[in-house]
Amino acid sequence: MINSQEVCQEVLSKQTNKTSGRDAGYMFTTVMKLGWLLSMIQPGIRHTNQRRMIRKAIGPAAIGSHDSHLEQIGNDLALQLAEFQGYVPNLVQNVMSRVIVEITYGREIWKRAGEELATNNHELMHLSEIGLFNFWSVNFLHFLRYVPSWVPGATFKRVGERTAWLSDFVRYKPFEMATELHGLGRIGHCMASELLDEFGPDEDVRDALGMLYQAGSDTTSGAISAFLHNMFLFPDVADRIFLEIRHVTQGKRLLQIADRSSLPFTEAVWKESLRWNPFFTLGVPHVNNEDVVVNGVRIPKGSVIGQNIGFMLIDPKVWGDPEVFRPERFLDSDAGSSIPNPNFMFGFGARACPGMYLADKAGFHFAVMTVSLFNIMPLEGKQRPDPANAQYTDMPLRSPKDFYARFTPRDQQAEYLLKTLSLEA
């Protein structure tokens, strides 16, 4: 287990040709039928092709083509928040499910089967975490897969059967729908349209799209929920963000994606929200295909190399006062050279998340758009929690446990913008 971001960069990024293998286990890859996922297949031509396809559609040079779509969904989110009271991460996850399906397969598919696609994928993500990070005897005793599911102690069998069905659904169903709509010329602007135009209904196209759909919403949802929860815990920071945005928009228009470069304090808060009480704690383990030496230490071929992301983001040797929520640390004149960008949580080397540019752009816009229009308030009769006592779910992808809130317009100008949105909807 590596506890240093610098060592991860040295081992997993600079020597990525030696350290990008995977060993997810027999339960995950075979019993649960998740071995097709881009994040799990071994380095090779299929891995390279699928990463290239995703980068071509939503990489740094292409992600801007989705700006107007993301802004429209951000506007829809604002209208939902105006009426919302409850557990915020659930709403965020529902919104991100729509984003991922529409950008991956198109708006028409979301209209036809959005609820079914989102529900099944949420369940698959939950079971995937269980399968990847739990201990399973079948990983070592493969013959156990033939044990009937009704046998006492065969929980793995029931989990595997359900996950295998969901895996096939995610991998094939939306792709079949997208291929049909593409043939009819009704699919619209989306990643599937671009890749089908260029490559046709290829297996790598199918699995690249399936991977983005399967994994795209949870990480972004976690980042947005973390940011909004921190603004709930630290309303004075949210007020400073609001003032910075108001200086840019003058209260006469809604926030736009292009405004990001004019919001340095807000950018710093986004980074600090990724770092403080991190929502993502463990990187998916790498496996090296030959011996690797780092700082005089030999890592033998075939080692499973874990990344303790949670510790890296709170390491006192790096951050000084990691327990303090202090966005200003990213505004210091030497911040660029003295502290890392927390986006290393998206992975290292050839295993870095290919959808990270979409996650960052959509996450930032939706989260900051919310703060530009609303105060995030406790439910009626409840108190704002003490940040020191904030609790989170005990999973690799963590969510705040008690983030129940309501959203009230910040002022009359915000009310006016929301009314205008409502009339245009």
Side-chain angles (χ1 to χ4, degrees), residues 6 28 68 116-117 130 137 139 179 187 190 236 275 278-279 281 314 319 335 345 365 387 394:
E6 291 182 345
F28 190 89
S68 61
E116 181 185 22
L117 293 173
I130 293 174
S137 297
N139 281 336
T179 302
I187 192 170
C190 61
D236 55 322
R275 186 203 68 80
F279 69 92
T281 57
I314 60 170
W319 306 100
M345 67 165 51
H365 182 69
D394 186 18

Side-chain angles (χ1 to χ4, degrees), residues 342-360:
N343 67 6
F344 66 76
M345 67 165 51
F346 288 105
F348 299 92
R351 291 297 182 178
C353 174
M356 62 185 294
Y357 303 101
L358 173 62
D360 179 67

Side-chain angles (χ1 to χ4, degrees), residues 215-232:
S217 64
D218 272 40
T219 303
T220 312
S221 299
I224 297 171
S225 294
F227 181 94
L228 295 179
H229 186 238
N230 290 333
M231 298 306 93
F232 180 56

Side-chain angles (χ1 to χ4, degrees), residues 188-199:
H189 175 55
C190 61
M191 183 173 165
S193 176
E194 295 177 23
L195 296 184
L196 287 169
D197 282 345
E198 184 167 352
F199 303 104

Side-chain angles (χ1 to χ4, degrees), residues 251-416:
K252 297 178 181 178
R253 62 173 176 84
L254 295 167
L255 183 73
Q256 298 173 353
I257 288 176
D259 294 326
R260 184 171 183 173
S261 60
S262 302
L263 305 171
F265 179 74
T266 306
E267 184 74 40
V269 177
W270 175 249
K271 292 178 179 177
E272 182 73 341
S273 290
L274 295 178
R275 186 203 68 80
W276 190 78
N277 269 326
F279 69 92
F280 186 63
T281 57
L282 292 173
V284 179
H286 293 222
V287 176
N288 53 322
N289 57 25
E290 57 182 270
D291 289 359
V292 173
V293 177
V294 57
N295 296 335
V297 177
R298 183 177 71 91
I299 303 176
K301 175 183 176 179
S303 296
V304 177
I305 307 171
Q307 311 108 63
N308 191 352
I309 302 295
F311 179 78
M312 295 178 205
L313 292 168
I314 60 170
D315 184 353
K317 293 180 180 179
V318 175
W319 306 100
D321 54 353
E323 74 285 352
V324 178
F325 187 84
R326 186 170 64 83
E328 292 80 6
R329 72 178 79 244
F330 292 101
L331 296 174
D332 295 339
S333 58
D334 62 343
S337 59
S338 64
I339 59 175
N341 189 323
N343 67 6
F344 66 76
M345 67 165 51
F346 288 105
F348 299 92
R351 291 297 182 178
C353 174
M356 62 185 294
Y357 303 101
L358 173 62
D360 179 67
K361 175 166 281 196
F364 182 90
H365 182 69
F366 296 159
V368 175
M369 175 79 159
T370 300
V371 176
S372 74
L373 293 170
F374 298 102
N375 291 302
I376 307 175
M377 305 293 293
L379 299 180
E380 292 286 351
K382 301 293 184 179
Q383 299 293 318
R384 196 181 300 272
D386 181 351
N389 297 325
Q391 295 185 338
Y392 301 82
T393 57
D394 186 18
M395 293 290 286
L397 279 171
R398 306 194 310 159
S399 296
K401 280 187 175 181
D402 298 317
F403 188 15
Y404 292 86
R406 56 195 173 95
F407 297 80
T408 61
R410 282 191 166 270
D411 57 15
Q412 289 184 341
Q413 287 170 295
E415 287 183 345
Y416 173 77

Side-chain angles (χ1 to χ4, degrees), residues 40-274:
M40 294 302 160
I41 61 177
Q42 299 300 336
I45 188 64
R46 294 203 66 198
H47 180 264
T48 300
N49 284 346
Q50 290 179 38
R51 286 187 63 87
R52 185 179 294 123
M53 288 174 180
I54 294 176
R55 187 175 180 87
K56 182 180 181 66
I58 56 170
I63 189 62
S65 68
H66 300 284
D67 281 3
S68 61
H69 189 186
L70 293 176
E71 288 175 345
Q72 179 58 57
I73 295 178
N75 295 346
D76 294 344
L77 171 61
L79 294 177
Q80 291 181 59
L81 290 172
E83 305 293 332
F84 179 80
Q85 295 190 46
Y87 186 59
V88 177
N90 282 350
L91 175 64
V92 172
Q93 189 173 55
N94 290 338
V95 171
M96 280 312 305
S97 294
R98 174 187 167 189
V99 171
I100 295 302
V101 170
E102 290 190 359
I103 285 181
T104 305
Y105 296 110
R107 298 186 187 187
E108 183 61 29
I109 286 181
W110 177 258
K111 293 176 183 177
R112 289 188 179 190
E115 185 174 344
E116 181 185 22
L117 293 173
T119 300
N120 286 341
N121 194 41
H122 291 168
E123 184 181 0
L124 179 60
M125 283 300 300
H126 175 68
L127 292 174
S128 298
E129 288 188 40
I130 293 174
L132 189 59
F133 292 101
N134 282 19
F135 174 83
W136 303 99
S137 297
V138 74
N139 281 336
F140 310 99
L141 304 172
H142 296 176
F143 67 87
L144 290 176
R145 71 174 297 193
Y146 300 107
V147 170
S149 59
W150 52 263
V151 171
T155 301
F156 79 92
K157 186 78 174 190
R158 294 185 287 275
V159 170
E161 289 175 350
R162 177 59 181 169
T163 308
W165 184 90
L166 291 167
S167 176
D168 283 344
F169 177 92
V170 164
R171 189 182 190 187
Y172 296 108
K173 183 65 174 180
F175 183 70
E176 291 170 359
M177 297 171 66
T179 302
E180 177 188 353
L181 287 173
H182 180 263
L184 297 172
R186 295 169 51 193
I187 192 170
H189 175 55
C190 61
M191 183 173 165
S193 176
E194 295 177 23
L195 296 184
L196 287 169
D197 282 345
E198 184 167 352
F199 303 104
D202 180 79
E203 288 185 2
D204 283 334
V205 172
R206 178 196 65 205
D207 288 354
L209 295 170
M211 175 65 199
L212 182 62
Y213 160 48
Q214 187 267 343
S217 64
D218 272 40
T219 303
T220 312
S221 299
I224 297 171
S225 294
F227 181 94
L228 295 179
H229 186 238
N230 290 333
M231 298 306 93
F232 180 56
L233 298 176
F234 303 103
D236 55 322
V237 177
D239 290 343
R240 289 182 63 185
I241 289 177
F242 169 71
L243 292 175
E244 183 175 61
I245 294 171
R246 181 56 59 89
H247 178 74
V248 172
T249 66
Q250 300 297 308
K252 297 178 181 178
R253 62 173 176 84
L254 295 167
L255 183 73
Q256 298 173 353
I257 288 176
D259 294 326
R260 184 171 183 173
S261 60
S262 302
L263 305 171
F265 179 74
T266 306
E267 184 74 40
V269 177
W270 175 249
K271 292 178 179 177
E272 182 73 341
S273 290
L274 295 178

